[in-house]
Structure formats: C-alpha cells, structure tokens
Amino acid sequence: MAGLTTFVIFGASGDLSRRKLIPALFHLYRKGRLPENFALLGVARHPIAEEAYRDSMREAVAEFSKPPEPAAWAGFRERLHYMAADPTQTEGLRSVEARLRELEAEAGDPTQRLYYFAIPPEIYQPILECLAQAGMTREDRGWRRVVIEKPFGRDLASARALNQAVHHVLREDQVYRIDHYLGKETVQNVLVFRFANSIFEPLWNRNYIDHVQITVAESVGVAHRGAFYDSVGVLRDVFQNHLLQLLVLVGMEPPSSFDPEMVRNERAKVLSAVRGMSEAEVGENTVRGQYQGFGGEPGVKPGSQTATYGALRLFIDNWRWQAVPFYLRSGKHMAEKTTEILIQFKSVPHQLFPLTPGREIRPNALFLCIQPDEGMHLRFEMKVPDTEVDLRSVDMDFHYADDFGPGALPDAYERLLLDALEGDASLYTRADAIELAWQIVDPIVRSWETGSPRLEMYAPGSWGPPAAETLLRREGREWALGCGGET
C-alpha cells in the first residue's frame, strides 16, 4: 500500500482558502506535482454539505484563477472533502482525527498530514493544544507538519510566547511559518541572480554599493480592513515580515550549500547584524505618515494615530555592509502599486570626460522588480551618437513575460505548499528569525506609539510625506523607482 498524504485546512470556508489555497492546490494537482495518493480535508465551524463545498471551491478557482478544465477538476473534486468541527475544542479535533482515519484506512501506512492554519492568529495556540490532546501530532504512522500564517505575534513578547507554545507541541522541523513573499518567483530569483552569476557577486558589498532601497507600495487604501489595519499599522503589517525578508535576501552571505538549514542560518545572521535603534535614533532614522482620509475609513477609530506609511534607514553591522544604508519604505494609497529593490552603486571616482556644465555621470543602478512589472533593469551610461562626449543613461532590461511568456509566473502559494509537502523549509521562517525580526521592529513601534517622530499626513496618490524625501536628501540621495514608476 502506498499510504496517503492529506492536506488539512483549518478555516476551509474562509477567504484565504478560496483565494489562494484551493486554487494553488488545484494547479499543483493538474501539473502532476502532488503525491499520487493525495486527499484534502477542509475543516470549519459552519455546516456545509460536502458536495456544496466542492461546488463552491470550483467557483473559487474560476473566480480567483481561471475556469478549471472539466477533466482535471473531476479528478481533484473526488479528493476534496469537508466536515464541520470546532478546532479549538479537543472533541472537535477528535472528530477530525476520526474522519482522517477513515480516509487513510484504505491506503494503509504511511499516513502523512499537513495541517494548515488559515485561521485568526488568536486561536493558533488553542488549536495547537487541541491537536496534541487529540493525538494528531504523533508521528507513529508518518510525518505531521503545521503551516502557520502570518502575523506570527504582534511584538517580540507575543512571538516568543507563541514559539514556546508551538515547541511545547511540535519540533521546530515540523513547523512552517509562511510569508507568501518568499514564495514569489521574483523574490527567489534574487538569490539566483546573486549566486549564479559571477559578474555581480564581487560587486555586492560596501566597496561598490552606495546604498540599497526597498519599496513596497500599494495604490489602494485599507478598504474593508480598516479595523484590522488600525490595530496593526504599517510596521507590523509589512515591515516586520515582507520588507525585512527582502532585506535579508539582498544582504545574506552565500550559504555553503542550498540545504534548507544552511540557507536559513545565513538569513538569521543578517537579522542579527541589523543595528538596533534607541528612541532618539528612531526619530532620526524613521518617518511615519498617514494618508489623508484614513480617519474616515470604516472601522478606524476617530483621531487614529496609526501609520499607513513608513520609511526606515537601517544598517547591517558586518564586514560586507558596514556603513551602507538600507532605506525601506512602504505605504497605502501611494501613487502606484510596485514592489522593487534598488541597488545603487557608487559614483565613478573621477570624472574623466569633459561634460557640459551641470552634467554629471549618473551612478549605475540595478532595479530588481518584484511586482507587478516582474523583471530587472540595469542602468549604465553610454555616449550619445554624433556628439563630442555627451552621455546618456540607458537600461538593459529583462522581463519575465517577454522571455518566459505571459502567465509563466505561478502564484507564490504553489511553491510554498509544495515545499511544505516535500519537507523543504528553505522559504519558511525559523523561530529565531521571527524573534530577531521583532527585535528590530519593536523599539520602532514603541517610539512611534509615543509620538516620535511625529505623524505626517500625505495626499492619497502621492509618494508619502515630505519627511520621507528629507530622510534621503540630507545625505545627498533621492528615492528612485526603475520598474515602471517615477518618484
């Protein structure tokens, strides 16, 4: 007997399941990448007939991906199951265990299970405890793994407490803390770009790089998430996870191999080297802003001081990056949606050419475009034809859609779910890295909550408050975009 691998979704009727998990699993199935003997069990509190659940998931795939091919869906549908249970109660999970054993009975051993927490963070701990009490974490018949969605805590203390609760029930190698940004092909390609091309890595250090900018901008406001966002703010929502993960990929040393733990070791080393800030330094090195009209959004408290925009200047205190500033910014209601990384190289040491007055040689710049214009742009100087020595900046471009065709990039969840099923934790965050990230962000959160620096308003559709420009201009630098947008 070949045994059975079962994907169990807690919160199976929710938005994450409909938008991401079920479409990703279906696409993995139709590509032949799931285990041959595979089943999916959705668990939620609401009673739904199994056939009705299957129909609703087909509608979800059609809505959030594309209409599934009838033959492929027919095979996937038969593997899709549903039951109503309260996963925060031991008895509820015992009923789930009984259903799983029914599904596994015909397949024999090993029985392998991946539990996915598509649930609110406040019930992570109760479900973990109930999983253990119901005997669902024992590995006497096969592996048991748990995928936990972000946010993983709301500060260092709560993250440590949650890690302790996790480790009371599970070994670290059973835990997969997910950040979907690490599943994006364009994010993974940062490492390939650095370590598979010998022309770039020798330049990837303080000797040649002036500074690094990382931008995660959204063109929309908080919409229907006003109450949630008002309680979280931009630091907890984006900086502690997405932006620091991008910083880590830019800053990490090459691992000795692509072994998951080797990769995660190097990522943790970068976070441990990020320079902490005192309250006075937070005022000097950060900007916080709020878009005009945020206070009137549904669910937002009157007079809210929650930041919807943030900009930070960070330093990595190690040999490679000493004194190289990393500028991170993110905001809601920005001029456009873009996620990109700028590697700004140093200027040439001597201006050799007789340029026209006021003209300078622009330093080389490399833009890594994460989304939506996925690709890379390398800016360098060239002589304008039929001039004495007039120079102009030109771009060498690469676009995924041009080289691999439109639609070539899979959704991030496809890669991440497949890795979890295969036991590859390279793109998942380890306990120590979670805590290190909170150590960086916590002092900034505390300072912002006491009013330092002051909250600045900015117009929707702009690039943030004026203080964000000042943060760079006082050192002779400018924010720059090279993936389709302009500052």
Side-chain angles (χ1 to χ4, degrees):
M1 305 287 278
L4 181 69
T5 300
T6 309
F7 192 100
V8 183
I9 302 177
F10 294 112
S13 61
D15 197 51
L16 178 62
S17 294
R18 291 179 52 81
R19 287 177 175 270
K20 296 294 183 182
L21 302 184
I22 297 299
L25 289 166
F26 172 67
H27 288 307
L28 288 172
Y29 171 78
R30 59 184 287 274
K31 293 175 183 177
R33 295 179 181 171
L34 294 180
E36 184 177 350
N37 289 336
F38 173 83
L40 192 154
L41 176 62
V43 179
R45 291 172 175 165
H46 309 295
I48 305 172
E50 192 161 88
E51 289 303 310
Y53 180 73
R54 290 170 168 174
D55 289 341
S56 70
M57 290 303 104
R58 186 188 187 284
E59 293 169 3
V61 172
E63 180 179 358
F64 298 112
S65 179
K66 59 183 180 181
E69 305 91 333
W73 180 257
F76 185 75
R77 178 188 179 95
E78 293 305 309
R79 298 164 184 264
L80 188 57
H81 307 275
Y82 180 85
M83 67 175 293
D86 183 350
T88 64
Q89 302 296 320
T90 303
E91 287 307 310
L93 284 187
R94 284 184 176 142
S95 67
V96 175
E97 171 69 10
R99 180 68 183 278
L100 286 168
R101 288 185 175 269
E102 288 178 9
L103 294 173
E104 294 163 349
E106 294 182 8
D109 291 340
T111 62
Q112 301 169 148
R113 301 178 189 171
L114 184 66
Y115 304 120
Y116 198 106
F117 286 10
I119 52 177
E122 57 268 22
I123 61 175
Y124 288 168
Q125 192 165 337
I127 293 185
L128 284 166
E129 294 169 356
C130 291
L131 278 173
Q133 291 167 6
M136 298 176 69
T137 58
R138 289 199 302 266
E139 295 190 314
D140 51 335
R141 301 176 62 204
W143 56 254
R144 303 288 184 268
R145 299 175 188 144
V146 176
V147 179
I148 302 178
E149 272 281 345
K150 79 171 189 74
F152 198 90
R154 60 175 285 112
D155 53 25
L156 179 58
S158 59
R160 279 179 174 162
L162 184 51
N163 272 332
Q164 289 170 0
V166 167
H167 292 149
H168 183 69
V169 173
L170 302 163
R171 301 185 312 275
E172 177 62 27
D173 66 298
Q174 293 178 277
V175 186
Y176 291 71
R177 299 169 190 81
I178 193 169
D179 182 343
H180 72 274
Y181 253 58
L182 287 177
K184 293 180 181 293
E185 289 281 346
T186 46
V187 172
Q188 297 166 46
N189 200 45
V190 174
L191 294 186
V192 175
F193 180 83
R194 287 187 57 191
F195 302 136
N197 297 289
S198 62
I199 63 173
F200 295 109
E201 184 56 23
L203 310 179
W204 212 265
N205 55 60
R206 58 187 169 82
N207 296 319
Y208 297 96
I209 293 176
D210 178 78
H211 71 278
V212 175
Q213 296 179 22
I214 305 177
T215 298
V216 176
E218 297 183 64
S219 58
V220 298
V222 296
H224 64 281
R225 299 170 71 239
F228 166 77
Y229 198 89
D230 194 24
S231 69
V232 174
V234 70
L235 284 176
R236 292 187 176 101
D237 188 47
V238 180
F239 279 83
Q240 184 273 334
N241 38 70
H242 301 335
L243 275 161
L244 285 182
Q245 294 293 354
L246 294 176
L247 176 145
V248 162
L249 294 180
V250 172
M252 66 184 279
E253 297 296 322
S256 57
S257 75
F258 213 61
D259 173 81
E261 286 311 299
M262 294 292 187
V263 174
R264 300 208 293 179
N265 286 344
E266 296 303 332
R267 283 164 44 193
K269 287 178 185 177
V270 178
L271 292 172
S272 67
V274 173
R275 187 187 305 171
M277 294 189 208
S278 66
E279 185 171 337
E281 289 169 331
V282 170
E284 286 264 326
N285 293 284
T286 75
V287 175
R288 67 185 186 115
Q290 184 185 98
Y291 68 78
Q292 295 165 356
F294 174 73
E297 298 280 19
V300 175
K301 295 176 183 177
S304 170
Q305 294 295 293
T306 297
T308 61
Y309 174 95
L312 312 181
R313 183 178 70 157
L314 298 176
F315 291 91
I316 299 172
D317 287 334
N318 62 17
W319 189 274
R320 181 184 290 262
W321 296 112
Q322 191 62 39
V324 176
F326 282 69
Y327 297 100
L328 280 58
R329 64 172 170 170
S330 181
K332 295 281 190 182
H333 250 323
M334 306 294 282
E336 65 179 77
K337 177 183 175 66
T338 186
T339 298
E340 56 188 85
I341 301 166
L342 162 63
I343 309 299
Q344 179 69 68
F345 293 95
K346 291 184 175 181
S347 299
V348 294
H350 173 63
Q351 291 206 19
L352 175 67
F353 305 102
L355 304 178
T356 56
R359 177 75 167 88
E360 293 183 351
I361 297 177
R362 296 181 74 187
N364 302 128
L366 172 66
F367 295 90
L368 307 177
C369 307
I370 308 301
Q371 66 177 19
D373 177 25
E374 296 92 351
M376 296 179 185
H377 303 258
L378 178 62
R379 187 182 72 205
F380 53 95
E381 298 295 285
M382 293 293 289
K383 179 180 178 295
V384 176
D386 202 23
T387 64
E388 184 177 352
V389 197
D390 195 10
L391 305 183
R392 195 175 83 184
S393 298
V394 297
D395 275 0
M396 184 179 293
D397 296 344
F398 157 69
H399 297 270
Y400 279 86
D402 293 342
D403 283 64
F404 299 105
L409 295 173
D411 185 82
Y413 277 90
E414 288 188 39
R415 170 65 186 271
L416 293 170
L417 296 182
L418 185 59
D419 281 357
L421 287 167
E422 294 178 345
D424 184 346
S426 301
L427 301 176
Y428 288 85
T429 309
R430 208 166 54 190
D432 57 341
I434 287 280
E435 295 180 16
L436 287 167
W438 278 119
Q439 276 183 233
I440 296 166
V441 170
D442 258 11
I444 304 172
V445 170
R446 286 196 299 269
S447 185
W448 283 21
E449 289 178 346
T450 60
S452 177
R454 70 183 182 88
L455 184 70
E456 293 197 24
M457 307 305 290
Y458 64 95
S462 70
W463 284 107
E469 302 299 330
T470 304
L471 181 67
L472 272 70
R473 283 178 180 166
R474 69 190 185 201
E475 296 179 330
R477 300 181 174 109
E478 300 277 348
W479 290 108
L481 296 172
C483 299
E486 295 182 359
T487 51

